[in-house]
Amino acid sequence: MPHSLIGGIVFSVTPTILVGLIFWFAMRAIFRADKSERAVYSEIEAEERARAEAEEAAGRA
C-alpha cells in the first residue's frame, strides 16, 4: 500500500479505470458484432425477397 498522497490516488483510481476500459472494449465488440449481424441479415433478406419476386414473376408468365 502506498504511503504518499499521489501513490494512494493512483492506487485507488487505477482499478476503476481498468474495469471501465474492459467494459468499454466489451461493449464496443458487442455493438460491432450486432452491426455486422444486422448488415448480413439485411443482405440475406434482400436476396430472399428477390428470389420470391422472381418465383412470383415466373409463376405469372
Side-chain angles (χ1 to χ4, degrees):
M1 192 117 183
H3 295 290
S4 68
L5 178 63
I6 300 297
I9 292 171
V10 170
F11 189 75
S12 63
V13 173
T14 301
T16 304
I17 292 171
L18 290 176
V19 169
L21 284 172
I22 291 169
F23 178 75
W24 181 75
F25 279 117
M27 293 305 293
R28 180 177 169 217
I30 290 169
F31 285 130
R32 283 187 175 190
D34 182 57
K35 182 180 176 183
S36 299
E37 185 177 346
R38 287 177 188 254
V40 170
Y41 182 77
S42 294
E43 290 176 13
I44 292 170
E45 189 174 347
E47 289 173 4
E48 290 296 323
R49 283 185 183 163
R51 185 179 301 142
E53 289 174 4
E55 288 176 0
E56 186 177 317
R60 283 191 238 163

